[in-house]
Amino acid sequence: MKFNFLTLFPELIEVHMRSGVIGQAIKKNIIEFESVNPRFFTKDKHKTVDDVPYGGGDGMLMLAEVLEKSLQSILEPAQKSNQKVKTVYLSPQGRLFRQELITDFLNYDQINFVCGRYAGVDNRFVIKNNISEYSLGDYVLSGGELPALSMMDAIARKIPGVLGNQESSELDSFYEGLLEAPSFTRPGEWQGLDVPSVLISGHHARIKEWKEFMSVLVTLKKRPELLLYTQSKSAILLPSGRRISLIDVEAFYSSLSDKEKIVCGIQDMVIRGDEN
Ligand SMILES: C[S@@+](CC[C@H](N)C(=O)[O-])C[C@H]1O[C@@H](n2cnc3c(N)ncnc32)[C@H](O)[C@@H]1O
């Protein structure tokens, strides 16, 4: 997959693309990227990319024409080679980007990220090209580069081969709609806090079960609004359609020692609050 960034600050993109798993994926040619600087498509000697907004208001807006030329410079070759392309404008007004939206992005050969700066872009550019707007969250950043890189990174992690064998995205938070179970590394005891014994037992089936129930408990504690329930409210309904009985979750919770609850940050929880 190829990721293109329309940006006035290509150096911000380069740094990220050279590091970590993304840098490795580029070296292995699993993903490609290109930065296109709208300034390159200006005609005047000052290389102007912005102008004042009609109707007044603070800040400057990026010009539709330079953005259009930048975008067409990427779209034309992609169309000639029948690439499936999606173009995104990063915007605080856009659809909130979430993990479950990634599956759709994986259907494309090329994703173009239009990174706004200043007070944003001339809206006609977005409308004319029917560009989807995506937001990273309900706050305003200075530019679209960080949200574009965040989206690219989250999408790339789901492309086969990007993560090495040791890093599986299947245990990450949001897999199956749940947060990840708490993680611990060496030493087994640190400042009086012990790693839950099951994790050092070597018993894979028990560890898997512990992680699954722990994921439910951590999600209930930290982000309860993420959970869906069956109509009877007797079970949690995962996006895959799988159900996890709340009686089982409660029994698992009762089986944990106080120390284990503390080290996992899940003490004093009421699991079936509605029914009690
Ligand atoms: C200062 S912002 C412009 C905000 C714009 N005036 C508004 O109120 O909607 C400059 C650029 O940063 C990017 N940006 C800012 N916040 C963002 C967010 N939450 N998600 C995605 N992009 C964002 C957009 O590309 C935007 O064009």
Side-chain angles (χ1 to χ4, degrees), residues 45-75:
K45 70 172 180 182
H46 299 295
K47 298 191 179 302
T48 308
V49 289
D50 56 347
D51 208 335
V52 291
Y54 278 115
D58 287 339
M60 304 287 272
L61 290 175
M62 291 180 76
L63 296 166
E65 186 59 17
V66 285
L67 288 171
E68 180 69 13
K69 286 191 173 132
S70 316
L71 183 61
Q72 290 308 327
S73 77
I74 317 169
L75 290 181

Side-chain angles (χ1 to χ4, degrees), residues 244-275:
I244 300 180
S245 149
L246 279 176
I247 292 179
D248 291 349
V249 175
E250 198 168 54
F252 173 79
Y253 187 67
S254 307
S255 76
L256 298 171
S257 69
D258 287 346
K259 276 180 143 189
E260 213 171 342
K261 288 176 185 166
I262 288 170
V263 87
C264 292
I266 52 163
Q267 63 272 38
D268 303 326
M269 283 181 69
V270 179
I271 310 297
R272 288 190 298 157
D274 284 353
E275 291 175 6

Side-chain angles (χ1 to χ4, degrees), residues 74-143:
I74 317 169
L75 290 181
E76 278 163 20
Q79 273 156 8
K80 276 186 196 142
S81 54
N82 281 328
Q83 300 271 294
K84 223 177 151 206
V85 181
K86 185 172 175 93
T87 300
V88 167
Y89 169 49
L90 286 310
S91 160
Q93 302 179 11
R95 181 176 187 187
L96 198 60
F97 184 61
R98 294 169 59 88
Q99 186 79 18
E100 69 256 26
L101 299 179
I102 292 175
T103 317
D104 174 56
F105 281 89
L106 296 175
N107 293 323
Y108 294 89
D109 303 308
Q110 182 174 309
I111 299 170
N112 304 321
F113 294 109
V114 180
C115 306
R117 277 275 156 178
Y118 316 124
V121 306
D122 185 323
N123 204 48
R124 289 170 295 182
F125 165 72
V126 178
I127 299 296
K128 188 245 159 188
N129 290 293
N130 199 17
I131 297 176
S132 317
E133 295 182 52
Y134 284 89
S135 167
L136 207 63
D138 292 340
Y139 41 79
V140 177
L141 299 160
S142 315

Side-chain angles (χ1 to χ4, degrees), residues 100-263:
E100 69 256 26
L101 299 179
I102 292 175
T103 317
D104 174 56
F105 281 89
L106 296 175
N107 293 323
Y108 294 89
D109 303 308
Q110 182 174 309
I111 299 170
N112 304 321
F113 294 109
V114 180
C115 306
R117 277 275 156 178
Y118 316 124
V121 306
D122 185 323
N123 204 48
R124 289 170 295 182
F125 165 72
V126 178
I127 299 296
K128 188 245 159 188
N129 290 293
N130 199 17
I131 297 176
S132 317
E133 295 182 52
Y134 284 89
S135 167
L136 207 63
D138 292 340
Y139 41 79
V140 177
L141 299 160
S142 315
E145 288 77 9
L146 289 176
L149 284 168
S150 302
M151 279 184 73
M152 178 283 304
D153 194 306
I155 296 164
R157 289 174 64 80
K158 290 289 175 188
I159 298 172
V162 168
L163 295 184
N165 288 341
Q166 296 201 321
E167 293 162 289
S168 163
S169 68
E170 297 206 348
L171 289 175
D172 278 345
S173 292
F174 304 110
Y175 179 70
E176 281 228 279
L178 298 172
L179 301 181
E180 188 184 38
S183 313
F184 308 89
T185 183
R186 279 180 270 214
E189 186 270 346
W190 178 76
Q191 300 211 355
L193 298 169
D194 293 323
V195 170
S197 53
V198 64
L199 295 179
I200 37 183
S201 68
H203 195 301
H204 296 299
R206 278 184 54 215
I207 293 173
K208 188 169 178 281
E209 185 189 58
W210 184 92
K211 285 189 173 177
E212 181 167 287
F213 279 119
M214 239 346 140
S215 280
V216 173
L217 288 168
V218 167
T219 313
L220 258 171
K221 175 93 182 182
K222 295 185 179 171
R223 297 286 306 277
E225 78 282 7
L226 292 176
L227 294 172
L228 297 173
Y229 293 86
T230 51
Q231 223 169 14
S232 60
K233 276 219 141 200
S234 62
I236 285 164
L237 188 60
L238 300 182
S240 60
R242 204 155 63 86
R243 288 152 195 252
I244 300 180
S245 149
L246 279 176
I247 292 179
D248 291 349
V249 175
E250 198 168 54
F252 173 79
Y253 187 67
S254 307
S255 76
L256 298 171
S257 69
D258 287 346
K259 276 180 143 189
E260 213 171 342
K261 288 176 185 166
I262 288 170
V263 87

